[in-house]
Amino acid sequence: SGLNMSKMMGMMNSLNGSKGGPNISKLMNIMGKVKNVKDKDEALNLKNEMENIMKNDLGFDMEKFNKSMNLDKSISIIGCGISGIFAALHLKKAGLKNIRLFDKSRGVGGRLATRRSSEGKFDHGAQYLKLDDIYDLPEIKSLIKNNILKETKVPNVYIGDDGMTSIPKFLSKDLSVSKEFKLIRINEKKDKISLIFENGEEIISDSIIFSSPIKQSIEILDRSSVNIDNDKFNGVRSCLLYTSPSPRDS
């Protein structure tokens, strides 16, 4: 799974200095091939080759590693725009069961925003999607198959058939979403994270992902009691120079 791969890569980096770069490079090359393999037998051979290098050359026990993964840990995702939804979908695919999204708005979608009036509807965020690089994603194929995305006269340019907000609504239909939950701050609580919301609710979570706009995320963290690497945090602050407000912020 992608989650195991991520954790594994962190461990591989820690081994890099002690057990040699050649084997790490070998692993990286195989990982690069795996992404493009469609034949099951070839994929299995590459997987076995990776495990042999890891166990015999690097002393890494994949069986013990898999047992160490706690798939029952809770993850809170702040912001139910398209990035937050995709994060939840991919974590769910990786086997995590306790995933919850929170959004301060009454609906989902973030910049995929559609407003309705007596005279009709209009998209006041992203108004179309170019699918050149993401057409083969299973989520995109599902949107097209279910007539949520409709191709325009321009090749590979799609719009939401019932407004752009229909896209996040469809993708999040099987996810746990709490709307009108505006996060005020987070606090460290032993090995957990306490999330304090404007409505008075407190949620305890093992992990948190910020998918809210950078400006809002920084404001939350400025009010929070957590240990943050200041150098990295200042790097995040610098991104404010390149952002524009979300339609839902107005």
Side-chain angles (χ1 to χ4, degrees):
S1 72
L3 181 71
N4 285 358
M5 189 67 76
S6 246
K7 189 173 177 186
M8 185 179 75
M9 286 304 297
M11 298 175 80
M12 288 295 100
N13 286 335
S14 68
L15 289 171
N16 195 11
S18 58
K19 297 199 174 179
N23 289 321
I24 300 294
S25 297
K26 222 167 165 185
L27 272 177
M28 294 295 287
N29 287 333
I30 296 172
M31 286 177 188
K33 290 178 186 176
V34 168
K35 292 179 184 178
N36 302 313
V37 168
K38 294 182 180 177
D39 182 76
K40 288 184 180 178
D41 290 335
E42 188 181 352
L44 186 61
N45 288 335
L46 289 171
K47 176 178 176 286
N48 291 335
E49 191 179 343
M50 282 172 60
E51 290 184 357
N52 284 334
I53 294 171
M54 289 161 63
K55 187 172 183 179
N56 300 326
D57 299 330
L58 295 169
F60 182 84
D61 193 323
M62 179 58 86
E63 190 176 343
K64 285 183 181 177
F65 168 74
N66 284 332
K67 285 180 181 176
S68 75
M69 292 295 294
N70 185 351
L71 298 179
D72 292 319
K73 284 194 171 184
S74 57
I75 297 183
S76 296
I77 301 175
I78 308 305
C80 198
I82 198 70
S83 61
I85 291 169
F86 264 86
L89 290 172
H90 282 270
L91 289 169
K92 191 175 177 181
K93 276 186 194 174
L96 275 94
K97 304 166 190 171
N98 193 356
I99 307 161
R100 190 170 172 186
L101 293 110
F102 298 91
D103 201 284
K104 68 175 188 174
S105 303
R106 288 176 295 172
V108 299
R111 287 177 169 81
L112 293 179
T114 304
R115 284 190 178 170
R116 289 170 170 79
S117 72
S118 57
E119 296 179 5
K121 63 178 182 290
F122 63 95
D123 295 311
H124 63 110
Q127 296 173 332
Y128 62 88
L129 293 177
K130 289 190 71 176
L131 302 186
D132 296 342
D133 299 323
I134 58 174
Y135 185 86
D136 290 327
L137 290 178
E139 293 84 2
I140 297 298
K141 288 191 173 295
S142 178
L143 287 165
I144 295 170
K145 181 181 177 182
N146 286 279
N147 299 314
I148 306 299
L149 277 177
K150 180 174 69 176
E151 190 169 17
T152 65
K153 293 178 181 179
V154 181
N156 262 349
V157 173
Y158 286 72
I159 58 173
D161 190 44
D162 188 32
M164 295 300 282
T165 194
S166 61
I167 298 166
K169 281 181 180 177
F170 178 83
L171 291 174
S172 63
K173 61 184 169 54
D174 296 323
L175 299 173
S176 174
V177 178
S178 296
K179 292 174 274 192
E180 296 187 273
F181 267 69
K182 182 179 180 179
L183 184 63
I184 301 301
R185 66 181 185 280
I186 61 174
N187 300 318
E188 287 178 326
K189 214 172 210 182
K190 294 184 179 177
D191 58 343
K192 306 276 187 182
I193 301 168
S194 166
L195 287 73
I196 309 297
F197 293 90
E198 190 177 59
N199 60 11
E201 292 271 0
E202 178 184 13
I203 304 292
I204 304 299
S205 185
D206 290 300
S207 302
I208 183 170
I209 295 174
F210 279 91
S211 179
S212 45
I214 290 174
K215 184 175 184 292
Q216 294 173 25
S217 300
I218 289 173
E219 287 170 353
I220 293 165
L221 290 170
D222 279 338
R223 292 190 293 263
S224 300
S225 299
V226 289
N227 289 321
I228 297 176
D229 183 317
N230 283 327
D231 288 336
K232 288 182 179 177
F233 193 34
N234 287 334
V236 173
R237 286 181 190 279
S238 69
C239 294
L240 279 174
L241 297 171
Y242 305 100
T243 60
S244 58
S246 163
R248 294 191 186 275
D249 292 341
S250 56

